[in-house]
Amino acid sequence: MALSRKSFQLSIETIPGGTNSSARDARRDLIIATARAAFFTHGYAGTAMSAIAAQVGGSKTTLWRHFPSKQDLFVAVIDDLVGRYGQALTMPLEPGEPLEPALRRFAEALMGTILSAPIVALHRVVTGEAARFPELGALFHERGPKRGKERLARFLEAAMAHGHIRRGDPMIAARQFAGLCQSGVFQDSVFGVAGPINPDDVRRDIDAAIDTFLRGWRPA
Protein backbone atom coordinates (compact mmCIF):
# COMPACT_ATOMS: atom_id res chain seq x y z
CA MET A 1 0.00 0.00 0.00
CA ALA A 2 1.51 3.33 -1.06
CA LEU A 3 2.19 5.83 1.64
CA SER A 4 0.61 9.23 1.19
CA ARG A 5 2.17 12.52 2.10
CA LYS A 6 -0.24 12.70 5.03
CA SER A 7 1.15 9.43 6.37
CA PHE A 8 4.32 11.24 7.38
CA GLN A 9 2.64 14.51 8.44
CA LEU A 10 5.62 16.41 7.08
CA SER A 11 7.30 16.94 3.77
CA ILE A 12 10.67 17.89 2.43
CA GLU A 13 9.60 21.50 2.48
CA THR A 14 8.47 21.46 6.12
CA ILE A 15 11.71 19.94 7.40
CA PRO A 16 14.14 22.71 8.37
CA GLY A 17 16.84 23.43 5.83
CA GLY A 18 20.36 24.62 6.37
CA THR A 19 23.36 22.54 7.30
CA ASN A 20 21.92 20.96 10.42
CA SER A 21 22.72 17.26 10.24
CA SER A 22 19.50 16.17 11.96
CA ALA A 23 17.47 18.07 9.36
CA ARG A 24 19.42 16.43 6.54
CA ASP A 25 18.91 13.03 8.15
CA ALA A 26 15.19 13.67 8.51
CA ARG A 27 14.92 14.61 4.83
CA ARG A 28 16.86 11.53 3.82
CA ASP A 29 14.79 9.21 6.04
CA LEU A 30 11.57 10.59 4.59
CA ILE A 31 12.76 9.97 1.05
CA ILE A 32 13.85 6.41 1.88
CA ALA A 33 10.54 5.59 3.59
CA THR A 34 8.58 6.95 0.63
CA ALA A 35 10.79 5.07 -1.85
CA ARG A 36 10.45 1.82 0.10
CA ALA A 37 6.66 2.01 -0.09
CA ALA A 38 6.83 2.83 -3.81
CA PHE A 39 9.24 -0.01 -4.64
CA PHE A 40 7.16 -2.51 -2.68
CA THR A 41 3.93 -1.37 -4.33
CA HIS A 42 5.02 -0.74 -7.92
CA GLY A 43 8.30 -2.65 -8.24
CA TYR A 44 11.62 -1.17 -9.31
CA ALA A 45 10.71 -0.58 -12.94
CA GLY A 46 7.34 0.90 -12.03
CA THR A 47 8.76 3.45 -9.62
CA ALA A 48 9.76 6.86 -10.96
CA MET A 49 12.04 9.29 -9.17
CA SER A 50 9.74 12.15 -10.19
CA ALA A 51 6.81 10.43 -8.48
CA ILE A 52 8.81 10.02 -5.27
CA ALA A 53 9.81 13.68 -5.38
CA ALA A 54 6.18 14.68 -5.81
CA GLN A 55 5.03 12.45 -2.98
CA VAL A 56 7.50 13.75 -0.40
CA GLY A 57 6.60 17.29 -1.40
CA GLY A 58 10.00 18.59 -2.42
CA SER A 59 11.69 19.40 -5.69
CA LYS A 60 13.44 16.91 -7.93
CA THR A 61 16.64 18.80 -7.24
CA THR A 62 16.35 18.00 -3.53
CA LEU A 63 15.82 14.32 -4.27
CA TRP A 64 18.69 14.09 -6.76
CA ARG A 65 20.98 15.86 -4.30
CA HIS A 66 20.45 13.03 -1.84
CA PHE A 67 20.30 10.19 -4.38
CA PRO A 68 21.83 10.77 -7.84
CA SER A 69 20.03 7.76 -9.36
CA LYS A 70 17.14 5.37 -8.74
CA GLN A 71 19.66 2.60 -8.14
CA ASP A 72 21.34 4.68 -5.42
CA LEU A 73 17.95 5.15 -3.79
CA PHE A 74 17.18 1.42 -3.99
CA VAL A 75 20.54 0.66 -2.36
CA ALA A 76 19.64 3.09 0.44
CA VAL A 77 16.35 1.23 0.95
CA ILE A 78 18.24 -2.08 1.14
CA ASP A 79 20.78 -0.70 3.61
CA ASP A 80 18.03 0.78 5.76
CA LEU A 81 16.16 -2.54 5.93
CA VAL A 82 19.32 -4.56 6.57
CA GLY A 83 20.24 -2.15 9.35
CA ARG A 84 16.80 -2.51 10.94
CA TYR A 85 16.24 -6.23 10.50
CA GLY A 86 19.64 -7.84 9.90
CA GLN A 87 19.87 -9.76 13.18
CA ALA A 88 21.90 -12.55 11.59
CA LEU A 89 24.59 -10.04 10.60
CA THR A 90 25.29 -8.90 14.16
CA MET A 91 24.64 -11.98 16.29
CA PRO A 92 27.93 -13.17 17.86
CA LEU A 93 29.44 -16.45 16.70
CA GLU A 94 32.54 -17.39 18.67
CA PRO A 95 34.98 -19.85 17.06
CA GLY A 96 35.15 -23.05 19.09
CA GLU A 97 31.83 -22.64 20.92
CA PRO A 98 29.47 -25.67 20.96
CA LEU A 99 28.19 -26.24 17.45
CA GLU A 100 24.50 -27.08 17.81
CA PRO A 101 23.54 -24.19 20.14
CA ALA A 102 25.43 -21.77 17.90
CA LEU A 103 23.66 -23.06 14.78
CA ARG A 104 20.31 -22.75 16.53
CA ARG A 105 21.05 -19.19 17.62
CA PHE A 106 22.11 -18.26 14.09
CA ALA A 107 19.05 -19.95 12.59
CA GLU A 108 16.71 -18.12 14.97
CA ALA A 109 18.33 -14.80 14.09
CA LEU A 110 18.21 -15.62 10.38
CA MET A 111 14.54 -16.59 10.45
CA GLY A 112 13.68 -13.56 12.57
CA THR A 113 15.31 -11.43 9.87
CA ILE A 114 13.99 -12.98 6.69
CA LEU A 115 10.44 -13.56 7.94
CA SER A 116 9.92 -9.89 8.80
CA ALA A 117 7.36 -8.43 6.40
CA PRO A 118 9.70 -5.78 4.91
CA ILE A 119 12.43 -8.34 4.14
CA VAL A 120 9.91 -10.71 2.54
CA ALA A 121 8.69 -7.78 0.42
CA LEU A 122 12.27 -6.90 -0.53
CA HIS A 123 12.93 -10.49 -1.65
CA ARG A 124 9.83 -10.34 -3.84
CA VAL A 125 10.91 -7.09 -5.49
CA VAL A 126 14.46 -8.29 -6.16
CA THR A 127 13.29 -11.66 -7.47
CA GLY A 128 10.60 -10.11 -9.66
CA GLU A 129 13.03 -7.63 -11.23
CA ALA A 130 16.07 -9.95 -11.50
CA ALA A 131 15.68 -10.66 -15.22
CA ARG A 132 15.47 -6.98 -16.21
CA PHE A 133 17.75 -5.56 -13.51
CA PRO A 134 20.24 -8.28 -12.46
CA GLU A 135 22.35 -5.65 -10.74
CA LEU A 136 19.64 -5.29 -8.09
CA GLY A 137 20.09 -8.92 -7.08
CA ALA A 138 23.84 -8.45 -6.85
CA LEU A 139 23.45 -5.32 -4.72
CA PHE A 140 21.01 -7.02 -2.36
CA HIS A 141 23.16 -10.15 -2.12
CA GLU A 142 26.31 -8.17 -1.31
CA ARG A 143 24.65 -6.12 1.41
CA GLY A 144 22.63 -8.84 3.12
CA PRO A 145 22.71 -12.58 2.40
CA LYS A 146 26.39 -12.72 1.45
CA ARG A 147 27.49 -10.99 4.66
CA GLY A 148 25.46 -13.41 6.79
CA LYS A 149 26.81 -16.47 4.99
CA GLU A 150 30.39 -15.20 5.26
CA ARG A 151 30.01 -14.87 9.05
CA LEU A 152 28.58 -18.37 9.29
CA ALA A 153 31.30 -19.75 6.98
CA ARG A 154 34.04 -18.37 9.24
CA PHE A 155 32.41 -20.04 12.22
CA LEU A 156 32.01 -23.35 10.37
CA GLU A 157 35.63 -23.21 9.23
CA ALA A 158 36.66 -23.10 12.89
CA ALA A 159 34.25 -25.97 13.64
CA MET A 160 35.97 -28.00 10.91
CA ALA A 161 39.38 -27.23 12.38
CA HIS A 162 38.17 -28.43 15.79
CA GLY A 163 36.81 -31.65 14.28
CA HIS A 164 33.19 -30.84 15.11
CA ILE A 165 32.16 -31.36 11.47
CA ARG A 166 34.00 -32.90 8.55
CA ARG A 167 36.33 -30.75 6.50
CA GLY A 168 35.08 -29.17 3.31
CA ASP A 169 34.34 -25.81 1.77
CA PRO A 170 32.94 -23.71 4.66
CA MET A 171 31.01 -21.43 2.29
CA ILE A 172 29.25 -24.41 0.74
CA ALA A 173 28.38 -25.59 4.24
CA ALA A 174 27.07 -22.12 5.15
CA ARG A 175 24.95 -21.94 2.01
CA GLN A 176 23.53 -25.38 2.65
CA PHE A 177 22.58 -24.57 6.23
CA ALA A 178 20.97 -21.27 5.25
CA GLY A 179 19.12 -23.01 2.43
CA LEU A 180 17.79 -25.68 4.78
CA CYS A 181 16.50 -23.00 7.15
CA GLN A 182 14.72 -21.22 4.30
CA SER A 183 13.13 -24.28 2.71
CA GLY A 184 9.77 -24.17 4.51
CA VAL A 185 7.96 -21.22 6.05
CA PHE A 186 10.17 -18.65 4.34
CA GLN A 187 9.56 -20.03 0.85
CA ASP A 188 5.82 -20.14 1.52
CA SER A 189 5.92 -16.52 2.71
CA VAL A 190 7.79 -15.27 -0.37
CA PHE A 191 5.37 -17.09 -2.68
CA GLY A 192 2.39 -15.72 -0.75
CA VAL A 193 0.95 -19.13 0.10
CA ALA A 194 1.50 -18.89 3.86
CA GLY A 195 -0.96 -17.51 6.37
CA PRO A 196 0.16 -15.83 9.59
CA ILE A 197 3.59 -17.04 10.70
CA ASN A 198 3.28 -19.88 13.20
CA PRO A 199 6.27 -19.96 15.60
CA ASP A 200 5.90 -23.74 15.92
CA ASP A 201 6.39 -24.10 12.16
CA VAL A 202 9.49 -21.92 12.31
CA ARG A 203 10.91 -24.03 15.14
CA ARG A 204 10.25 -27.18 13.12
CA ASP A 205 12.11 -25.70 10.16
CA ILE A 206 15.06 -24.86 12.41
CA ASP A 207 15.09 -28.28 14.08
CA ALA A 208 14.98 -30.03 10.70
CA ALA A 209 17.72 -27.79 9.27
CA ILE A 210 20.07 -28.48 12.18
CA ASP A 211 19.38 -32.22 12.14
CA THR A 212 19.90 -32.54 8.37
CA PHE A 213 23.01 -30.34 8.39
CA LEU A 214 24.71 -32.21 11.23
CA ARG A 215 23.94 -35.57 9.60
CA GLY A 216 25.37 -34.42 6.31
CA TRP A 217 28.49 -32.82 7.79
CA ARG A 218 29.20 -35.30 10.60
CA PRO A 219 32.91 -36.11 10.99
CA ALA A 220 34.05 -39.12 8.96
Side-chain angles (χ1 to χ4, degrees), residues 28-52:
R28 188 176 188 276
D29 290 346
L30 177 58
I31 293 170
I32 290 173
T34 304
R36 180 175 65 242
F39 287 134
F40 287 178
T41 302
H42 306 295
Y44 184 79
T47 297
M49 293 287 276
S50 58
I52 293 173

PDB file of all heavy atoms in Angstrom, residues 28-52:
ATOM      1  N   ARG A  28      16.426  12.782   4.443  1.00  0.00           N
ATOM      2  CA  ARG A  28      16.863  11.530   3.817  1.00  0.00           C
ATOM      3  C   ARG A  28      15.970  10.365   4.249  1.00  0.00           C
ATOM      4  O   ARG A  28      15.573   9.536   3.423  1.00  0.00           O
ATOM      5  CB  ARG A  28      18.322  11.254   4.200  1.00  0.00           C
ATOM      6  CG  ARG A  28      18.964  10.095   3.468  1.00  0.00           C
ATOM      7  CD  ARG A  28      20.429   9.968   3.847  1.00  0.00           C
ATOM      8  NE  ARG A  28      21.093   8.991   3.018  1.00  0.00           N
ATOM      9  CZ  ARG A  28      21.092   7.683   3.235  1.00  0.00           C
ATOM     10  NH1 ARG A  28      20.418   7.209   4.269  1.00  0.00           N
ATOM     11  NH2 ARG A  28      21.717   6.862   2.423  1.00  0.00           N
ATOM     12  N   ASP A  29      15.646  10.297   5.540  1.00  0.00           N
ATOM     13  CA  ASP A  29      14.793   9.213   6.037  1.00  0.00           C
ATOM     14  C   ASP A  29      13.408   9.257   5.402  1.00  0.00           C
ATOM     15  O   ASP A  29      12.817   8.209   5.105  1.00  0.00           O
ATOM     16  CB  ASP A  29      14.662   9.295   7.563  1.00  0.00           C
ATOM     17  CG  ASP A  29      15.958   8.934   8.279  1.00  0.00           C
ATOM     18  OD1 ASP A  29      16.864   8.372   7.631  1.00  0.00           O
ATOM     19  OD2 ASP A  29      16.061   9.224   9.490  1.00  0.00           O
ATOM     20  N   LEU A  30      12.882  10.446   5.209  1.00  0.00           N
ATOM     21  CA  LEU A  30      11.569  10.586   4.592  1.00  0.00           C
ATOM     22  C   LEU A  30      11.593  10.089   3.153  1.00  0.00           C
ATOM     23  O   LEU A  30      10.681   9.385   2.709  1.00  0.00           O
ATOM     24  CB  LEU A  30      11.120  12.047   4.648  1.00  0.00           C
ATOM     25  CG  LEU A  30       9.783  12.379   3.973  1.00  0.00           C
ATOM     26  CD1 LEU A  30       8.653  11.563   4.582  1.00  0.00           C
ATOM     27  CD2 LEU A  30       9.497  13.868   4.079  1.00  0.00           C
ATOM     28  N   ILE A  31      12.637  10.432   2.434  1.00  0.00           N
ATOM     29  CA  ILE A  31      12.763   9.971   1.048  1.00  0.00           C
ATOM     30  C   ILE A  31      12.858   8.454   0.998  1.00  0.00           C
ATOM     31  O   ILE A  31      12.199   7.797   0.179  1.00  0.00           O
ATOM     32  CB  ILE A  31      14.000  10.617   0.379  1.00  0.00           C
ATOM     33  CG1 ILE A  31      13.803  12.115   0.218  1.00  0.00           C
ATOM     34  CG2 ILE A  31      14.259   9.980  -0.982  1.00  0.00           C
ATOM     35  CD1 ILE A  31      15.066  12.864  -0.201  1.00  0.00           C
ATOM     36  N   ILE A  32      13.668   7.868   1.876  1.00  0.00           N
ATOM     37  CA  ILE A  32      13.847   6.410   1.879  1.00  0.00           C
ATOM     38  C   ILE A  32      12.538   5.708   2.215  1.00  0.00           C
ATOM     39  O   ILE A  32      12.171   4.716   1.582  1.00  0.00           O
ATOM     40  CB  ILE A  32      14.957   6.016   2.869  1.00  0.00           C
ATOM     41  CG1 ILE A  32      16.321   6.472   2.349  1.00  0.00           C
ATOM     42  CG2 ILE A  32      14.966   4.503   3.103  1.00  0.00           C
ATOM     43  CD1 ILE A  32      17.458   6.276   3.339  1.00  0.00           C
ATOM     44  N   ALA A  33      11.810   6.210   3.213  1.00  0.00           N
ATOM     45  CA  ALA A  33      10.536   5.594   3.585  1.00  0.00           C
ATOM     46  C   ALA A  33       9.532   5.663   2.441  1.00  0.00           C
ATOM     47  O   ALA A  33       8.802   4.698   2.169  1.00  0.00           O
ATOM     48  CB  ALA A  33       9.967   6.273   4.833  1.00  0.00           C
ATOM     49  N   THR A  34       9.492   6.790   1.763  1.00  0.00           N
ATOM     50  CA  THR A  34       8.584   6.945   0.626  1.00  0.00           C
ATOM     51  C   THR A  34       8.994   6.012  -0.513  1.00  0.00           C
ATOM     52  O   THR A  34       8.144   5.368  -1.145  1.00  0.00           O
ATOM     53  CB  THR A  34       8.585   8.401   0.139  1.00  0.00           C
ATOM     54  OG1 THR A  34       8.247   9.263   1.231  1.00  0.00           O
ATOM     55  CG2 THR A  34       7.594   8.610  -0.989  1.00  0.00           C
ATOM     56  N   ALA A  35      10.288   5.945  -0.781  1.00  0.00           N
ATOM     57  CA  ALA A  35      10.787   5.073  -1.850  1.00  0.00           C
ATOM     58  C   ALA A  35      10.520   3.608  -1.531  1.00  0.00           C
ATOM     59  O   ALA A  35      10.147   2.827  -2.425  1.00  0.00           O
ATOM     60  CB  ALA A  35      12.275   5.304  -2.054  1.00  0.00           C
ATOM     61  N   ARG A  36      10.702   3.221  -0.288  1.00  0.00           N
ATOM     62  CA  ARG A  36      10.446   1.822   0.102  1.00  0.00           C
ATOM     63  C   ARG A  36       8.997   1.442  -0.203  1.00  0.00           C
ATOM     64  O   ARG A  36       8.737   0.390  -0.798  1.00  0.00           O
ATOM     65  CB  ARG A  36      10.738   1.626   1.588  1.00  0.00           C
ATOM     66  CG  ARG A  36      10.492   0.197   2.061  1.00  0.00           C
ATOM     67  CD  ARG A  36      10.917   0.018   3.507  1.00  0.00           C
ATOM     68  NE  ARG A  36      10.124   0.802   4.421  1.00  0.00           N
ATOM     69  CZ  ARG A  36      10.597   1.768   5.199  1.00  0.00           C
ATOM     70  NH1 ARG A  36      11.877   2.088   5.176  1.00  0.00           N
ATOM     71  NH2 ARG A  36       9.797   2.433   6.011  1.00  0.00           N
ATOM     72  N   ALA A  37       8.070   2.293   0.183  1.00  0.00           N
ATOM     73  CA  ALA A  37       6.660   2.014  -0.094  1.00  0.00           C
ATOM     74  C   ALA A  37       6.398   1.942  -1.593  1.00  0.00           C
ATOM     75  O   ALA A  37       5.647   1.082  -2.068  1.00  0.00           O
ATOM     76  CB  ALA A  37       5.783   3.085   0.547  1.00  0.00           C
ATOM     77  N   ALA A  38       7.036   2.819  -2.357  1.00  0.00           N
ATOM     78  CA  ALA A  38       6.827   2.834  -3.810  1.00  0.00           C
ATOM     79  C   ALA A  38       7.404   1.581  -4.460  1.00  0.00           C
ATOM     80  O   ALA A  38       6.754   0.955  -5.311  1.00  0.00           O
ATOM     81  CB  ALA A  38       7.469   4.084  -4.413  1.00  0.00           C
ATOM     82  N   PHE A  39       8.620   1.194  -4.072  1.00  0.00           N
ATOM     83  CA  PHE A  39       9.236  -0.008  -4.641  1.00  0.00           C
ATOM     84  C   PHE A  39       8.413  -1.247  -4.309  1.00  0.00           C
ATOM     85  O   PHE A  39       8.227  -2.132  -5.151  1.00  0.00           O
ATOM     86  CB  PHE A  39      10.657  -0.174  -4.117  1.00  0.00           C
ATOM     87  CG  PHE A  39      11.663   0.789  -4.694  1.00  0.00           C
ATOM     88  CD1 PHE A  39      12.560   1.452  -3.860  1.00  0.00           C
ATOM     89  CD2 PHE A  39      11.719   1.030  -6.056  1.00  0.00           C
ATOM     90  CE1 PHE A  39      13.497   2.338  -4.383  1.00  0.00           C
ATOM     91  CE2 PHE A  39      12.644   1.923  -6.590  1.00  0.00           C
ATOM     92  CZ  PHE A  39      13.533   2.578  -5.752  1.00  0.00           C
ATOM     93  N   PHE A  40       7.932  -1.329  -3.090  1.00  0.00           N
ATOM     94  CA  PHE A  40       7.163  -2.507  -2.679  1.00  0.00           C
ATOM     95  C   PHE A  40       5.801  -2.561  -3.374  1.00  0.00           C
ATOM     96  O   PHE A  40       5.271  -3.642  -3.616  1.00  0.00           O
ATOM     97  CB  PHE A  40       6.957  -2.508  -1.162  1.00  0.00           C
ATOM     98  CG  PHE A  40       8.203  -2.835  -0.374  1.00  0.00           C
ATOM     99  CD1 PHE A  40       8.178  -2.837   1.018  1.00  0.00           C
ATOM    100  CD2 PHE A  40       9.392  -3.146  -1.006  1.00  0.00           C
ATOM    101  CE1 PHE A  40       9.316  -3.141   1.749  1.00  0.00           C
ATOM    102  CE2 PHE A  40      10.540  -3.447  -0.284  1.00  0.00           C
ATOM    103  CZ  PHE A  40      10.497  -3.440   1.108  1.00  0.00           C
ATOM    104  N   THR A  41       5.248  -1.413  -3.691  1.00  0.00           N
ATOM    105  CA  THR A  41       3.933  -1.368  -4.330  1.00  0.00           C
ATOM    106  C   THR A  41       4.018  -1.509  -5.844  1.00  0.00           C
ATOM    107  O   THR A  41       3.239  -2.249  -6.458  1.00  0.00           O
ATOM    108  CB  THR A  41       3.216  -0.043  -3.985  1.00  0.00           C
ATOM    109  OG1 THR A  41       3.090   0.072  -2.563  1.00  0.00           O
ATOM    110  CG2 THR A  41       1.826   0.002  -4.613  1.00  0.00           C
ATOM    111  N   HIS A  42       4.970  -0.820  -6.457  1.00  0.00           N
ATOM    112  CA  HIS A  42       5.025  -0.743  -7.918  1.00  0.00           C
ATOM    113  C   HIS A  42       6.202  -1.493  -8.532  1.00  0.00           C
ATOM    114  O   HIS A  42       6.281  -1.580  -9.763  1.00  0.00           O
ATOM    115  CB  HIS A  42       5.095   0.731  -8.350  1.00  0.00           C
ATOM    116  CG  HIS A  42       4.006   1.581  -7.791  1.00  0.00           C
ATOM    117  ND1 HIS A  42       2.673   1.398  -8.111  1.00  0.00           N
ATOM    118  CD2 HIS A  42       4.037   2.620  -6.905  1.00  0.00           C
ATOM    119  CE1 HIS A  42       1.932   2.285  -7.471  1.00  0.00           C
ATOM    120  NE2 HIS A  42       2.733   3.035  -6.724  1.00  0.00           N
ATOM    121  N   GLY A  43       7.102  -2.022  -7.704  1.00  0.00           N
ATOM    122  CA  GLY A  43       8.298  -2.647  -8.243  1.00  0.00           C
ATOM    123  C   GLY A  43       9.345  -1.605  -8.596  1.00  0.00           C
ATOM    124  O   GLY A  43       9.092  -0.391  -8.546  1.00  0.00           O
ATOM    125  N   TYR A  44      10.526  -2.089  -8.971  1.00  0.00           N
ATOM    126  CA  TYR A  44      11.616  -1.168  -9.311  1.00  0.00           C
ATOM    127  C   TYR A  44      11.325  -0.439 -10.612  1.00  0.00           C
ATOM    128  O   TYR A  44      11.409   0.782 -10.691  1.00  0.00           O
ATOM    129  CB  TYR A  44      12.924  -1.945  -9.419  1.00  0.00           C
ATOM    130  CG  TYR A  44      14.141  -1.085  -9.664  1.00  0.00           C
ATOM    131  CD1 TYR A  44      14.744  -0.396  -8.622  1.00  0.00           C
ATOM    132  CD2 TYR A  44      14.689  -0.966 -10.944  1.00  0.00           C
ATOM    133  CE1 TYR A  44      15.867   0.398  -8.837  1.00  0.00           C
ATOM    134  CE2 TYR A  44      15.805  -0.189 -11.170  1.00  0.00           C
ATOM    135  CZ  TYR A  44      16.395   0.492 -10.119  1.00  0.00           C
ATOM    136  OH  TYR A  44      17.507   1.270 -10.346  1.00  0.00           O
ATOM    137  N   ALA A  45      10.954  -1.193 -11.636  1.00  0.00           N
ATOM    138  CA  ALA A  45      10.714  -0.582 -12.944  1.00  0.00           C
ATOM    139  C   ALA A  45       9.539   0.385 -12.898  1.00  0.00           C
ATOM    140  O   ALA A  45       9.539   1.410 -13.592  1.00  0.00           O
ATOM    141  CB  ALA A  45      10.468  -1.658 -13.995  1.00  0.00           C
ATOM    142  N   GLY A  46       8.543   0.080 -12.082  1.00  0.00           N
ATOM    143  CA  GLY A  46       7.339   0.899 -12.033  1.00  0.00           C
ATOM    144  C   GLY A  46       7.431   2.106 -11.131  1.00  0.00           C
ATOM    145  O   GLY A  46       6.450   2.851 -10.992  1.00  0.00           O
ATOM    146  N   THR A  47       8.568   2.316 -10.520  1.00  0.00           N
ATOM    147  CA  THR A  47       8.757   3.453  -9.616  1.00  0.00           C
ATOM    148  C   THR A  47       9.580   4.529 -10.309  1.00  0.00           C
ATOM    149  O   THR A  47      10.668   4.255 -10.819  1.00  0.00           O
ATOM    150  CB  THR A  47       9.467   3.019  -8.324  1.00  0.00           C
ATOM    151  OG1 THR A  47       8.638   2.086  -7.622  1.00  0.00           O
ATOM    152  CG2 THR A  47       9.747   4.207  -7.420  1.00  0.00           C
ATOM    153  N   ALA A  48       9.061   5.743 -10.331  1.00  0.00           N
ATOM    154  CA  ALA A  48       9.760   6.863 -10.964  1.00  0.00           C
ATOM    155  C   ALA A  48      10.273   7.822  -9.898  1.00  0.00           C
ATOM    156  O   ALA A  48       9.585   8.093  -8.909  1.00  0.00           O
ATOM    157  CB  ALA A  48       8.823   7.602 -11.912  1.00  0.00           C
ATOM    158  N   MET A  49      11.473   8.325 -10.110  1.00  0.00           N
ATOM    159  CA  MET A  49      12.042   9.289  -9.174  1.00  0.00           C
ATOM    160  C   MET A  49      11.170  10.538  -9.085  1.00  0.00           C
ATOM    161  O   MET A  49      11.005  11.121  -8.016  1.00  0.00           O
ATOM    162  CB  MET A  49      13.459   9.657  -9.610  1.00  0.00           C
ATOM    163  CG  MET A  49      14.474   8.527  -9.512  1.00  0.00           C
ATOM    164  SD  MET A  49      14.942   8.154  -7.809  1.00  0.00           S
ATOM    165  CE  MET A  49      16.238   9.382  -7.537  1.00  0.00           C
ATOM    166  N   SER A  50      10.588  10.952 -10.204  1.00  0.00           N
ATOM    167  CA  SER A  50       9.741  12.148 -10.187  1.00  0.00           C
ATOM    168  C   SER A  50       8.511  11.938  -9.308  1.00  0.00           C
ATOM    169  O   SER A  50       8.059  12.866  -8.622  1.00  0.00           O
ATOM    170  CB  SER A  50       9.318  12.504 -11.609  1.00  0.00           C
ATOM    171  OG  SER A  50       8.630  11.423 -12.217  1.00  0.00           O
ATOM    172  N   ALA A  51       7.985  10.716  -9.311  1.00  0.00           N
ATOM    173  CA  ALA A  51       6.814  10.426  -8.477  1.00  0.00           C
ATOM    174  C   ALA A  51       7.177  10.466  -6.996  1.00  0.00           C
ATOM    175  O   ALA A  51       6.391  10.938  -6.171  1.00  0.00           O
ATOM    176  CB  ALA A  51       6.242   9.061  -8.846  1.00  0.00           C
ATOM    177  N   ILE A  52       8.361   9.978  -6.662  1.00  0.00           N
ATOM    178  CA  ILE A  52       8.809  10.022  -5.267  1.00  0.00           C
ATOM    179  C   ILE A  52       8.993  11.471  -4.837  1.00  0.00           C
ATOM    180  O   ILE A  52       8.576  11.872  -3.746  1.00  0.00           O
ATOM    181  CB  ILE A  52      10.110   9.221  -5.098  1.00  0.00           C
ATOM    182  CG1 ILE A  52       9.843   7.734  -5.336  1.00  0.00           C
ATOM    183  CG2 ILE A  52      10.707   9.443  -3.701  1.00  0.00           C
ATOM    184  CD1 ILE A  52      11.088   6.877  -5.352  1.00  0.00           C
TER     185      ILE A  52
END
